Amino acid sequence: MEKNKGRTGAPSGDLALVRKILEGDESAFASLVERYHGRLVRLALVYVRDQADAEEVVQETWLGVLRGLKEFEGRSTLRTWIFRILTNQAKTRGVRDGRMTPFSALGESDATDDPAVDPSRFTSKGMWADPPRPWNDDTPEKILLREEAVGVLNRAIAGLPPNQQAVVTLRDAEGLSSEEVCNVLDISETNQRVLLHRARSKLRRFMEEFLKGR
Amino acid sequence: MLRCRELTELITDYLEGRLPMGQRIRFHLHLGMCRHCRAYLRQMKLTIRTLGALPVETIPPAVLDELLRRFRGWKTA
């Protein structure tokens, strides 16, 4: 169990790994790459729509990691630091290719502002009229074992507006703290929470549909 | 009095620990009395945990090899 240096500082394990990599330890670098590569590709796909482009962005990210590694001071976790390098790479790439507008332009307020639940499911007094029905599956493992569940859920995430997709990927898929998410994405705590709320609400609706009659 | 519809909009603030105390108390009181909202909260928590359980692709061996090649180049530079 790694002890934390400070509230958001890097665990001592991070610093030890960085030291080994800087000393040229190939297996240390390999273990870092193996741990994060797939996660970086997943995050890159928020910014660039093409799998091949995402892989290129991640390659560039690893080079950026190596170039910047001796500057890593452990003020954030290594994971947050690497994700930040990725988002910078991906944003530049996405904008340069003309495939997307700068992240910040996608903005504080989406035009698509659905309520968390379809209003017709409540009475005029705001109480449940069509309440949530129990799901047969009560663990993530059971849900994800269902045929197509993984693909369907990934596509649901990919269908979110990019800023919601980025927040929910980092916060819920990757498990970063809200502070770390704000750090990686350069957004305010409030903005992060609004985006997270919209994303989670949509994904819950999505799961509810998916699990109906299964 | 907190209504179900409001609860569904406050739920993220609640789960993130950002509800002011008064609202948090009303939230809990409502949950205690409303099994539908308890079910909604369970579904929301399960959704979040499922997102956290999504599998991530492992690095293709060829990609790893290429990165290690770069690493060797980098460390001798």
Side-chain angles (χ1 to χ4, degrees):
Chain A
M1 189 75 142
E2 292 175 324
K3 283 200 177 343
N4 266 319
K5 233 191 147 179
R7 214 164 55 81
T8 53
S12 53
D14 276 359
L15 292 168
L17 186 63
V18 167
R19 203 166 29 244
K20 280 202 193 142
I21 295 173
L22 288 171
E23 288 165 4
D25 185 337
E26 194 171 294
S27 67
F29 182 61
S31 78
L32 185 68
V33 166
E34 281 165 332
R35 195 187 310 167
Y36 289 121
H37 189 83
R39 299 172 185 283
L40 292 173
V41 171
R42 173 162 69 180
L43 188 55
L45 285 167
V46 175
Y47 295 91
V48 298
R49 292 290 155 169
D50 193 280
Q51 178 78 17
D53 285 347
E55 307 256 354
E56 276 180 45
V57 166
V58 175
Q59 286 284 82
E60 287 301 313
T61 299
W62 285 122
L63 298 179
V65 166
L66 287 176
R67 276 195 302 269
L69 202 57
K70 56 185 177 316
E71 317 295 347
F72 177 74
E73 288 169 7
R75 269 181 285 123
S76 70
T77 64
L78 188 54
R79 177 178 63 170
T80 304
W81 187 76
I82 293 174
F83 279 160
R84 246 203 109 101
I85 294 175
L86 179 121
T87 54
N88 287 332
Q89 278 292 336
K91 267 189 261 186
T92 314
R93 176 62 178 264
V95 171
R96 191 190 75 204
D97 292 353
R99 208 163 295 130
M100 70 182 290
T101 53
F103 188 88
S104 57
L106 296 167
E108 299 266 338
S109 51
D110 279 293
T112 61
D113 205 351
D114 301 332
V117 177
D118 181 346
S120 70
R121 294 184 64 179
F122 298 107
T123 66
S124 55
K125 292 196 163 67
M127 311 308 266
W128 284 101
D130 178 14
R133 241 140 290 169
W135 292 349
N136 289 324
D137 298 336
D138 58 356
T139 66
E141 292 69 34
K142 284 186 192 154
I143 291 171
L144 293 177
L145 276 175
R146 288 199 177 273
E147 195 177 331
E148 307 254 14
V150 170
V152 147
L153 198 48
N154 279 328
R155 278 195 297 279
I157 296 168
L160 295 170
N163 50 6
Q164 291 179 29
Q165 189 185 343
V167 170
V168 80
T169 298
L170 286 171
R171 186 85 180 85
D172 292 341
E174 292 297 340
L176 269 65
S177 70
S178 57
E179 193 173 343
E180 289 173 321
V181 174
C182 293
N183 187 339
V184 172
L185 298 178
D186 255 327
I187 57 177
S188 69
E189 168 69 47
T190 324
N191 191 12
Q192 185 247 182
R193 208 160 350 108
V194 169
L195 293 169
L196 186 61
H197 178 70
R198 291 179 189 158
R200 283 176 173 177
S201 300
K202 285 203 190 90
L203 293 172
R204 188 216 61 93
R205 287 203 298 275
F206 202 93
M207 297 242 311
E208 183 176 54
E209 269 311 304
F210 176 72
L211 291 170
K212 245 182 210 173
R214 279 183 146 91
Chain B
M1 205 195 78
L2 194 71
R3 298 163 205 217
C4 305
R5 187 173 47 210
E6 288 168 78
L7 185 137
T8 63
E9 295 297 351
L10 288 175
I11 199 163
T12 302
D13 286 352
Y14 170 72
L15 289 170
E16 295 290 287
R18 289 287 175 157
L19 279 186
M21 177 154 77
Q23 270 193 320
R24 197 164 66 241
I25 291 170
R26 281 196 289 281
F27 196 99
H28 278 139
L29 282 174
H30 180 93
L31 278 180
M33 297 186 299
C34 182
R35 65 191 174 89
H36 300 312
C37 283
R38 287 199 298 275
Y40 187 81
L41 178 61
R42 266 197 310 275
Q43 288 183 1
M44 184 57 82
K45 285 179 170 176
L46 185 48
T47 300
I48 294 166
R49 284 167 52 217
T50 306
L51 294 170
L54 280 167
V56 190
E57 57 174 56
T58 49
I59 184 169
V63 175
L64 178 58
D65 283 344
E66 174 60 28
L67 279 170
L68 290 177
R69 247 195 306 279
R70 306 278 199 130
F71 180 70
R72 285 168 210 135
W74 168 80
K75 74 181 183 187
T76 57

